[in-house]
């Protein structure tokens, strides 16, 4: 399914105000984290079972110090490797909404710690987290809001136009148009894995400067491996039955 909904995250407009991060917490009623200053604007320091969106902040030294802001969240992969692995471990723990393409965890399905390890390792963006009770926590695309015709909370709260959301075709057009504009100033500008994800980031420099997992370098390899496993699974079942 390549239609549905998609986000476009134009990092050239992000001021790291963290409005999106707060709106996500508020709408989804996630508990706050006990944090302390760690010498960085980024706070809390990482995603967690209760923090589904975190604005990453990197300060990169050079001739001139540069700041890179990256509002990190689940990319709602078109063919989600996390779901593929979860199917073999705890069926129904991760589902994909047919209409929007949103990849959603099911809080009623508990996952063993060792199984979750494999699910997290399958995610090329290092996104899913788990509670002590074995429940997955990650962005839901605000599916409850979308079904009521509302924007995801992070998009609604963003005051700069960084966070955009809509029908995939229109969003891809918007992203490509903006990329062409930005390339006149930043020749290395790129869209991160636009064919594979529903949260498309516009970056203007080396992705690693933003975040270790900003781009999935081997996404094509991962989705091919998953497709291969999908073909092999019924064959293996036939062998067992035979
Ligand atoms: S980004 Fe990770 S958690 Fe989100 S859909 Fe893709 S594989 Fe799953
Ligand atoms: S609300 Fe918008 S500008 Fe503020 S941190 Fe989030 S994406 Fe950046």
């Amino acid at each position: 399914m390549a239609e549905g909904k998609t986000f476009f995250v134009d990092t050239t407009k992000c001021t790291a105000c963290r409005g999106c991060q707060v709106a996500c917490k508020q709408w989804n009623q996630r508990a706050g984290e006990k944090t302390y200053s760690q010498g960085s604007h980024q706070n809390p320091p990482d995603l967690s079972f209760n923090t589904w969106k975190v604005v990453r902040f990197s300060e990169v030294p050079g001739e001139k110090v540069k700041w890179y802001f990256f509002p990190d969240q689940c990319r709602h992969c078109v063919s989600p490797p996390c779901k593929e692995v979860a199917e073999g471990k705890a069926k129904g723990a991760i589902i994909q909404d047919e209409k929007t393409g949103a990849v959603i965890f099911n809080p009623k399905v508990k996952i063993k710690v060792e199984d979750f390890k494999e699910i997290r390792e399958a995610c090329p963006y290092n996104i899913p987290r788990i509670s002590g009770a074995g429940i997955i926590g990650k962005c839901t695309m605000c599916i409850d809001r979308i079904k009521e015709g509302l924007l995801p909370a992070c998009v609604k709260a963003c005051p700069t136009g960084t966070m955009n959301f809509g029908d995939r075709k229109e969003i891809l057009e918007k992203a490509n148009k903006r990329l062409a504009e930005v390339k006149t100033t930043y020749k290395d500008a790129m869209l991160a894995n636009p064919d594979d994800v529903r949260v498309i980031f516009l970056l203007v420099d080396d992705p690693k400067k933003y975040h270790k997992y900003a781009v999935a370098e081997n996404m094509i390899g991962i989705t091919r491996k998953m497709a291969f496993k999908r073909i092999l699974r019924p064959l293996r079942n036939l062998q067992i039955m035979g």
Side-chain angles (χ1 to χ4, degrees), residues 37-49:
S37 171
Q38 298 173 73
S40 164
H41 179 76
Q42 187 176 319
N43 198 16
D46 201 3
L47 297 167
S48 75
F49 172 71

Side-chain angles (χ1 to χ4, degrees), residues 15-30:
T15 60
C17 71
R18 294 194 294 227
C20 52
Q21 192 178 302
V22 173
C24 174
K25 280 248 176 207
Q26 188 191 30
W27 179 260
N28 294 296
Q29 299 183 4
R30 311 312 298 165

Side-chain angles (χ1 to χ4, degrees), residues 138-203:
K138 66 159 205 72
C139 165
T140 64
M141 203 190 261
C142 279
I143 188 85
D144 49 350
R145 291 178 59 89
I146 298 167
K147 286 194 169 160
E148 296 299 323
L150 299 170
L151 286 170
C154 59
V155 180
K156 177 83 179 164
C158 177
T160 63
T162 303
M163 297 298 304
N164 302 270
F165 182 80
D167 291 338
R168 184 166 177 82
K169 190 167 169 282
E170 277 90 73
I171 287 288
L172 276 168
E173 278 168 17
K174 187 177 186 128
N176 280 306
K177 190 166 170 250
R178 179 68 182 146
L179 174 66
E181 279 168 18
V182 166
K183 265 203 179 275
T184 58
T185 311
Y186 301 97
K187 66 175 176 43
D188 295 330
M190 61 174 289
L191 298 176
N193 306 112
D195 298 334
D196 300 317
V197 297
R198 292 182 185 278
V199 182
I200 300 169
F201 284 83
L202 169 64
L203 310 172

Side-chain angles (χ1 to χ4, degrees), residues 73-84 94 96 101-104 119-120 122-129 136-139 196-197 199 219 222:
Q73 64 170 92
C74 168
R75 310 297 196 277
H76 295 280
C77 301
V78 174
S79 300
C82 59
K83 177 175 177 289
E84 189 73 35
I94 299 177
Q96 192 168 26
V103 180
I104 309 163
I119 292 170
R120 181 160 166 184
C123 173
Y125 305 100
N126 189 32
I127 296 295
R129 301 292 191 266
I136 291 181
K138 66 159 205 72
C139 165
D196 300 317
V197 297
V199 182
M219 191 66 187
I222 290 165

